[in-house]
Amino acid sequence: MNFKLHVWRQRDAQDKGRMVKYAVREIGAEVSFLEMLDLLNEELTEAGEEPIAFDHDCREGICGACSLVIDGVAHGPGRGVTTCQLMMRNFRDGADIFVEPWRGRAFPIVKDLVVDRSAFDRIIEAGGYVSCNTGSAPDANVTPIAKQDADLAMDAAQCIGCGACAAACKNSSAMLFVAAKVGHLHLLPQGRVENQTRVGNMVKAMDAQGFGACTNQQECEAVCPKEISVNFIAQLNRNYVRALLDV
Amino acid sequence: MNLDAHIPAGALETKWQRYKSTLPLVSPANKRRFKIIVVGSGLAGSSAAATLAELGYAVECFCFQDSPRRAHSIAAQGGINAARNYQGDGDSVFRLFYDTVKGGDFRAREANVYRLAEISGAIIDQCVAQGVPFAREYGGMLANRSFGGAQVSRTFYARGQTGQQLLLGAYGALARQIALGKVTMHARHEMLDLIVVAGRARGIVVRDLVSGTLRSCCADAVVLATGGYANVFFLSTNAMGCNVTATYRAHKRGAGFANPCFTQIHPTCIPVSGEHQAKLTLMSESLRNDGRVWVPTKKGDRRAPHEIPEAERDYYLERRYPAFGNLSPRDIASRAALQVCNDGYGVGRSGMGVYLDFAEAMQRLGQDVIEQRYGNLFSMYEEITGEDPYRTPMRIFPAAHYTMGGLWVDYNLMSNLDGLFVIGEANFSDHGANRLGASALMQGLADGYFVLPYTIGQYLAAAPVLDKSAAEKTAAQTQQECQQSIAALLNIKGKRSVDYFHRRLGKIMWDNCGMARSAASLQQALQAIPQLQEEFQRDLRVPGGGASLNQSLEKAGRVADFLDFAQLMCRDALAREESCGGHFRTEYQTAEGEAQRNDAEFTHVSVWQHRAAGEPQLHREPLQFSHVALAQRSYK
Ligand SMILES: Cc1cc2nc3c(=O)[nH]c(=O)nc-3n(C[C@H](O)[C@H](O)[C@H](O)COP(=O)(O)OP(=O)(O)OC[C@H]3O[C@@H](n4cnc5c(N)ncnc54)[C@H](O)[C@@H]3O)c2cc1C
Ligand code: FES
C-alpha cells in the first residue's frame, strides 16, 4: 500500500511548527502505524534528515506512551486501541493521512509529535493513591471484596494515562482520567477511606494544571483506548458535590 | 574481585528474620541526611524509591520515559506468585522455594530464593492495601491461576494486566512521596555513567533527554533498577526502550556482571510476520492453563487447522511431559517448539509457529468463561494477526523475553562495588538459569518493598561520609567522558541508521546465542560482532545534534553498549560448557534431547570483570545446595 502522510514537524517548544508531506510506499497491510513511521524514519535518516520524533515504548497498548492524532482523531480510526495497536490494514490504499500531536494547553509540545504530559503525574500526586506505608498491610484476604466491585474497579483502573481523553475534548478537560482513578479507588474498601479528600484535591489539581471543565461532550469515551465509561464521570460529580458540602 | 555473598548464618527458614532483626539501624534524624539515587521506576525502582522515602531517606529517582508509570513493568500480563495456599492445594513457602530453585535448574542461591518465597505473601497484602484490583471469586476472596513449572495454583492476577495494576500501585506510593517532597522525580532522564570514588558508588551522570544537558548527581548510595537486556536480540517482547546501558556502564566501572548468557525465550509469542517488525508481542503464559499446544503429525501439512482431524495432531508437550503437559516450564516448552519447527512440522506461512488451541476448553467451560479469563489477550491477538482465536487456534512461536543474568549482588543486594545496589531484573539473583512465570513481578517487588530498604541501612550506617569535593571532581571527569562519547557518535556521519545495526546484531545473537548454542555458533558470533561494531563506528548516522530531544542519539548510545555487551554474553555462553535452563548448548544434551547439566564443574555463578585492555576476566561464586537435592530436572 502507498500513503501520503502529512506530519506535524516542530523543532522545539518555541518553534511555530508546520505540516510536512511525505510519501510512503509499499507498506504491507500487516505493518503497524508506528512501524510505518519507523520505516519512514529510517529513510529520512539515511537521507540525512532528522527523523520524526514520537513517544512510544511498549508497542502493545499498555504503557500509554504513544499519542498521535490521526486524521483528527486521538489514536486514529480504530475503536478501543492505541496508536501502536493500529494496523495499516485499517487505511485505504493511496489515502492522505494527517498525523498531529495531542493538542491542549496542559500538553505543551516538546518536539514534533512529542508532548509533555507531566500534568497527569501532578494530578495523581494530588491524591490518586491509598496512603499506606509499606509493611503496614493486614492479610490480603481479611477484607472480602464483592467480585462485581473488584471487576468494576478494574474497568476503571485500566486507564493507561495516555491523555487521549483530554486531547479529544473541546474543553481540554481531564475529567475521564480523574474519574477513572477516583472511581477505581472509590469502589474498593481500601480506597474509600480517603475518598472525600482525594476527590477535592485531584479536581483542584486538574484545574491548576490548565485542564478545562467537563461539559458532557463524551468525546473522551469515544477515543479512550481502554473504553472507560463516562459513567465514572457521573460518579465523580456526585462525589465532588459531597466533598464540597463536607468542606 | 570479592564475591562473598554475605549469606547470614543459621537455619534457612529463620535466616532472614533473624538477620533482619540484627541489622544496624539508621536513626530517623540521620536518614534525612542520606541521599539515595534510584535509577528506574518499574516495579523494583518505584517500590524501592517509595519505601526508602517513607523511611525518611532523601531519594532522587530517574527514568527515561516521560512518566514513571510507563516503565516496562507495566506490560506484564499474567500474574504474580505468592505462597499463600489460599486454594488449599498444598502450597507453602518451601514449595515455592523448591519450585523456583528447580525451575532455575539449580543455578540460584538457596538463601536468596528462600527469602523471596518467604516475603511473597506480604507483597500481596501490600498491593491489596494499595487498592490493586486483583481478580476475586464470587465469595469475595482472591482468585488464583496456575503458571508453568508449578502444580499448585499460586498466581494472583488482575485480568491480563497484572503488571500494570501492580505498577500503578507502586507508582501511587511513589507519587505520594513526590507530593510530600521526599522523592525528587526526574522523568525523561537517562543515566549514562556511574560515578565511582575510591571504590564506592557515589553518584551518576544523567542526560536530560529534552534539553540534552548532562548533569552529575552525587549521593550516598546508588540503586540500579533498570530492568533487563533482552533487546540485545533486537526483536523481543520487551518495550522498545529497554536497554543494558545503565548496568553495562556500571560494569565498565567495576561491577561484576553475572551469568549474562542466561536469557529466557518465552514460548507463547505471536510469530514474526516480516522484516518491518520492531518488536514481538507476548501472549501471556496463563493461556497455557486452557490452551493446548499442537502441530500436525505430517510434515509440511498446509491444511487449515480445523481440517486436520484429531488423530493427525501431535500434542507434543502433553506427549513428552505428561505430568506438566502444556504447563511445562518456559525453556522446555520453547525448545520443544523450536524442535518441531526445525523438523518441519511448524505451521503458518513461515513454518515457524505452533498452534495454541482453545476449542476443547471452550467446549468444556463455554466461551463466556474463556472470554472472562483471556478476553483482552484474544482481542490483542486478533488486532495484530487479523485472525479470531475463538474460531481458529492461535499461532505462537518463542521470542526473547527476559534476562536472568544481571549485575552480581550479594545477599544484601549490593554489587561488588560498595554503595551500588541492584534490584529487579537488573540483578542476577533469584532465578538461576530459568525464571518461572509470574516470578519476576514477585522478585521486583520483594527487592523494592521488603529487602533493599532494610539492607541498605546497614551499608549507610557504616559507610564513611560522602566527601563532596572528591565526588565532585570525579563527577566532572566522568561527565566529560560521557560528553566525548556523545560527540563521537554524532561525528561518525556515516550512512546507516541505528536500527539497521541493531537489527543485524539481533540476528547474529538470535541465530548464534539464542535458544540453542554451540561452541561453533558462539565463536562465529564472536567474530561477526566486532566486525559489525567496526562498521557501526564507521558508518553510523545520527542526524540532529546533542542539545535537544534526539531519539536517534539515545538509541545509538544503547546500541553501542549492546554491541559490547553481546560479546560478553557469547563469551559467557562459551565458557559454560553445560546445558541448564535457558542456556542450551547443543553439545550437552541427553539422549532424549533434554538439557544436560554438569554439576561437578558448573555449579557456580559466572561473574565477569571488565578490563580496560584485554578480555574480561571470569570469576566464580560457588553454589551450595543443602535443602534441595541436585537432580536432573524432570517434568515428565
Ligand atoms: C510482555 C511481558 C510480560 C511479562 N509478564 C510477566 C508476568 O506476568 N509475571 C511476571 O512475574 N513477570 C512478567 N514479565 C517480566 C517482568 O515484567 C519484568 O521482569 C519486570 O517488570 C522488570 O521490572 P524492573 O522494575 O526490574 O524493570 P523495568 O520495569 O524494566 O523498569 C526499568 C526502569 O529503568 C529505567 N531505566 C532503564 N535504563 C535507564 C537508564 N539508562 N537511565 C534511566 N532510567 C533507566 C526505565 O525508565 C524504567 O523506569 C513480563 C515481561 C514482558 C516483557
Ligand atoms: S507504545 Fe505503549 S501504549 Fe502505545
Side-chain angles (χ1 to χ4, degrees):
Chain A
M1 301 167 96
N2 301 324
F3 302 102
K4 282 183 274 263
L5 298 185
H6 305 254
V7 183
W8 184 259
R9 302 296 311 252
Q10 179 172 335
R11 224 174 314 119
D12 51 31
Q14 283 73 46
D15 185 23
K16 260 180 57 202
R18 72 230 160 264
M19 294 300 272
V20 177
K21 262 194 251 178
Y22 300 97
V24 290
R25 285 179 208 92
E26 288 170 44
I27 300 289
E30 74 290 352
V31 171
S32 78
F33 197 87
L34 294 188
E35 284 166 350
M36 184 218 20
L37 289 184
D38 290 339
L39 292 170
L40 172 59
N41 273 344
E42 202 152 340
E43 270 179 40
L44 291 177
T45 304
E46 297 190 348
E49 283 177 55
E50 264 206 67
I52 302 159
F54 59 91
D55 265 326
H56 66 103
D57 201 19
C58 76
R59 301 257 178 141
E60 51 188 60
I62 193 73
C63 74
C66 62
S67 42
L68 303 182
V69 174
I70 301 167
D71 289 339
V73 182
H75 290 309
R79 247 201 170 241
V81 293
T82 52
T83 304
C84 62
Q85 293 175 298
L86 192 62
M87 308 304 268
M88 293 318 291
R89 74 172 87 86
N90 291 302
F91 294 85
R92 190 174 43 77
D93 190 12
D96 280 83
I97 305 176
F98 292 80
V99 190
E100 291 170 89
W102 278 182
R103 304 279 186 187
R105 193 148 52 104
F107 292 152
I109 293 178
V110 175
K111 178 175 185 171
D112 294 341
L113 304 170
V114 175
V115 300
D116 177 351
R117 285 172 285 188
S118 55
F120 268 17
D121 288 314
R122 289 190 285 274
I123 294 177
I124 296 293
E125 284 156 24
Y129 42 74
V130 176
S131 306
C132 70
N133 281 359
T134 306
S136 58
D139 184 284
N141 254 349
V142 149
T143 315
I145 297 176
K147 182 171 172 7
Q148 52 282 22
D149 289 341
D151 284 349
L152 198 56
M154 183 64 204
D155 287 345
Q158 289 190 79
C159 167
I160 57 174
C162 62
C165 48
C169 175
K170 73 177 174 61
N171 308 320
S172 293
S173 171
M175 267 308 249
L176 190 59
F177 172 74
V178 176
K181 183 57 28 189
V182 168
H184 153 213
L185 293 175
H186 177 71
L187 280 158
L188 301 171
Q190 292 82 4
R192 213 164 293 144
V193 182
E194 295 170 278
N195 195 47
Q196 303 286 70
T197 42
R198 174 181 309 119
V199 170
N201 290 341
M202 286 182 76
V203 171
K204 205 157 79 191
M206 175 175 77
D207 294 341
Q209 292 302 319
F211 292 102
C214 171
T215 53
N216 232 331
Q217 305 290 313
Q218 309 198 356
E219 285 296 329
C220 50
E221 186 187 86
V223 297
C224 175
K226 298 294 148 187
E227 304 184 295
I228 293 173
S229 160
V230 288
N231 290 341
F232 288 111
I233 296 186
Q235 189 197 37
L236 172 65
N237 283 331
R238 285 195 297 276
N239 273 317
Y240 185 59
V241 171
R242 231 172 286 146
L244 282 183
L245 293 177
D246 226 44
V247 178
Chain B
M1 187 176 268
N2 177 7
L3 296 180
D4 182 347
H6 297 114
I7 296 171
L12 185 68
E13 295 79 3
T14 50
K15 226 184 250 298
W16 172 239
Q17 286 309 328
R18 289 223 336 242
Y19 180 61
K20 218 167 63 165
S21 63
T22 59
L23 284 174
L25 299 175
V26 180
S27 84
N30 276 341
K31 282 199 184 112
R32 239 179 312 124
R33 292 197 209 118
F34 285 113
K35 182 148 117 193
I36 303 174
I37 287 175
V38 178
V39 190
S41 63
L43 286 177
S46 286
S47 59
T51 307
L52 290 169
E54 286 165 13
L55 291 174
Y57 295 107
V59 178
E60 295 219 23
C61 184
F62 298 82
C63 72
F64 65 74
Q65 290 90 350
D66 69 326
S67 162
R69 68 179 288 155
R70 301 199 210 287
H72 166 60
S73 293
I74 201 95
Q77 304 171 347
I80 175 167
N81 287 331
R84 262 292 151 83
N85 195 29
Y86 284 156
Q87 306 306 322
D89 55 1
D91 200 8
S92 64
V93 168
F94 187 83
R95 206 179 280 276
L96 174 54
F97 156 73
Y98 177 84
D99 286 350
T100 309
V101 172
K102 176 182 168 198
D105 221 354
F106 309 94
R107 291 293 176 261
R109 270 189 215 133
E110 277 192 343
N112 282 57
V113 177
Y114 195 90
R115 175 176 65 188
L116 176 65
E118 187 180 336
I119 288 171
S120 63
I123 299 173
I124 304 302
D125 300 342
Q126 180 63 28
C127 295
V128 167
Q130 289 170 342
V132 170
F134 282 122
R136 303 240 163 206
E137 305 290 358
Y138 281 101
M141 297 299 157
L142 289 157
N144 290 117
R145 53 166 62 141
S146 307
F147 253 57
Q151 286 171 316
V152 293
S153 216
R154 63 160 75 99
T155 305
F156 295 78
Y157 63 100
R159 286 193 199 143
Q161 291 118 289
T162 314
Q164 180 198 26
Q165 293 310 312
L166 297 176
L167 183 58
L168 291 182
Y171 160 72
L174 176 63
R176 176 168 162 246
Q177 296 305 314
I178 296 172
L180 292 169
K182 305 278 180 60
V183 176
T184 313
M185 184 72 219
H186 307 272
R188 288 204 206 270
H189 275 70
E190 177 156 16
M191 166 181 163
L192 295 183
D193 216 334
L194 183 72
I195 297 166
V196 181
V197 186
R200 275 173 204 277
R202 285 304 198 187
I204 58 173
V205 175
V206 291
R207 178 166 182 269
D208 176 335
L209 299 180
V210 174
S211 68
T213 322
L214 292 196
R215 192 156 62 76
S216 310
C217 181
C218 294
D220 296 280
V222 175
V223 180
L224 298 187
T226 49
Y229 51 83
N231 278 348
V232 70
F233 292 103
F234 184 63
L235 284 181
S236 85
T237 62
N238 284 17
M240 303 292 286
C242 293
N243 66 86
V244 76
T245 290
T247 46
Y248 191 72
R249 295 193 186 174
H251 171 63
K252 279 169 75 174
R253 296 281 172 199
F257 213 110
N259 299 333
C261 81
F262 286 172
T263 51
Q264 178 168 78
I265 311 294
H266 196 292
T268 52
C269 304
I270 301 181
V272 178
S273 72
E275 271 290 302
H276 61 273
Q277 216 157 344
K279 75 158 288 210
L280 297 175
T281 305
L282 175 77
M283 291 280 103
S284 166
E285 172 164 312
S286 60
L287 292 168
R288 292 200 275 145
N289 270 293
D290 290 307
R292 298 178 69 196
V293 176
W294 64 275
V295 289
T297 51
K298 264 204 303 267
K299 278 188 191 183
D301 192 337
R302 285 283 167 264
R303 284 177 292 173
H306 65 267
E307 290 167 358
I308 302 177
E310 210 42 45
E312 292 172 44
R313 298 175 175 197
D314 178 13
Y315 295 90
Y316 58 88
L317 285 177
E318 297 171 24
R319 173 171 58 77
R320 285 177 60 181
Y321 308 102
F324 284 70
N326 294 299
L327 284 175
S328 300
R330 293 177 173 176
D331 52 337
I332 289 181
S334 292
R335 222 154 35 235
L338 181 71
Q339 207 172 8
V340 293
C341 292
N342 282 345
D343 291 346
Y345 298 99
V347 301
R349 227 183 331 156
S350 62
M352 284 298 174
V354 301
Y355 288 126
L356 179 65
D357 196 336
F358 292 86
E360 190 260 342
M362 257 178 335
Q363 245 170 28
R364 181 162 42 88
L365 304 163
Q367 176 157 341
D368 286 8
V369 175
I370 295 298
E371 205 170 318
Q372 248 191 24
R373 287 189 189 162
Y374 313 111
N376 67 318
L377 294 170
F378 275 40
S379 51
M380 189 150 111
Y381 181 86
E382 187 173 357
E383 271 149 28
I384 294 174
T385 62
E387 289 170 18
D388 175 5
Y390 291 105
R391 289 156 188 274
T392 184
M394 286 184 177
R395 282 174 299 109
I396 54 165
F397 196 67
H401 176 62
Y402 180 85
T403 54
M404 284 74 70
L407 290 184
W408 183 88
V409 289
D410 66 3
Y411 189 73
N412 298 314
L413 303 181
M414 188 163 87
S415 74
N416 58 305
L417 282 180
D418 283 345
L420 177 69
F421 293 79
V422 190
I423 59 177
E425 192 174 337
N427 74 22
F428 89 106
S429 69
D430 298 351
H431 307 294
N434 172 57
R435 172 176 71 79
L436 290 182
S439 286
L441 303 184
M442 168 172 75
Q443 182 227 330
L445 290 180
D447 288 359
Y449 282 136
F450 296 112
V451 181
L452 177 88
Y454 289 99
T455 57
I456 204 171
Q458 154 168 279
Y459 168 76
L460 293 170
V465 263
L466 178 69
D467 175 351
K468 270 232 163 97
S469 76
E472 275 160 17
K473 224 169 96 205
T474 318
Q477 169 73 29
T478 313
Q479 188 174 322
Q480 175 130 40
E481 287 168 27
C482 292
Q483 196 76 58
Q484 282 160 356
S485 40
I486 290 177
L489 289 170
L490 289 167
N491 278 332
I492 299 174
K493 298 202 159 71
K495 284 198 278 305
R496 295 296 195 161
S497 72
V498 187
D499 286 353
Y500 168 82
F501 293 101
H502 196 178
R503 203 173 288 125
R504 279 179 59 194
L505 173 67
K507 177 134 178 53
I508 296 174
M509 293 305 281
W510 181 252
D511 291 345
N512 298 299
C513 192
M515 242 186 295
R517 306 140 177 201
S518 66
S521 76
L522 292 164
Q523 262 142 7
Q524 195 178 334
L526 281 170
Q527 289 202 327
I529 303 165
Q531 283 168 12
L532 184 63
Q533 196 164 26
E534 188 272 326
E535 220 180 297
F536 176 87
Q537 281 151 6
R538 184 164 41 79
D539 205 18
L540 174 73
R541 171 166 230 153
V542 180
S548 67
L549 182 73
N550 186 338
Q551 295 174 327
S552 308
L553 179 61
E554 294 164 26
K555 283 196 279 189
R558 293 172 195 160
V559 172
D561 290 329
F562 274 136
L563 281 162
D564 262 344
F565 173 73
Q567 299 172 57
L568 188 66
M569 234 174 108
C570 293
R571 265 203 187 95
D572 187 44
L574 195 58
R576 190 168 280 276
E577 296 176 328
E578 63 163 352
S579 293
C580 59
H583 170 65
F584 190 76
R585 284 279 301 263
T586 52
E587 304 97 314
Y588 309 104
Q589 48 181 310
T590 65
E592 297 104 60
E594 305 295 343
Q596 187 147 45
R597 288 199 323 264
N598 176 351
D599 291 334
E601 289 176 85
F602 290 96
T603 310
H604 62 243
V605 181
S606 303
V607 189
W608 295 87
Q609 180 181 14
H610 178 81
R611 286 192 298 192
E615 297 193 348
Q617 190 179 349
L618 176 61
H619 303 262
R620 296 173 181 85
E621 180 204 333
L623 293 168
Q624 270 114 31
F625 293 89
S626 50
H627 287 71
V628 182
L630 273 97
Q632 198 206 323
R633 223 162 43 125
S634 169
Y635 292 93
K636 301 215 171 207

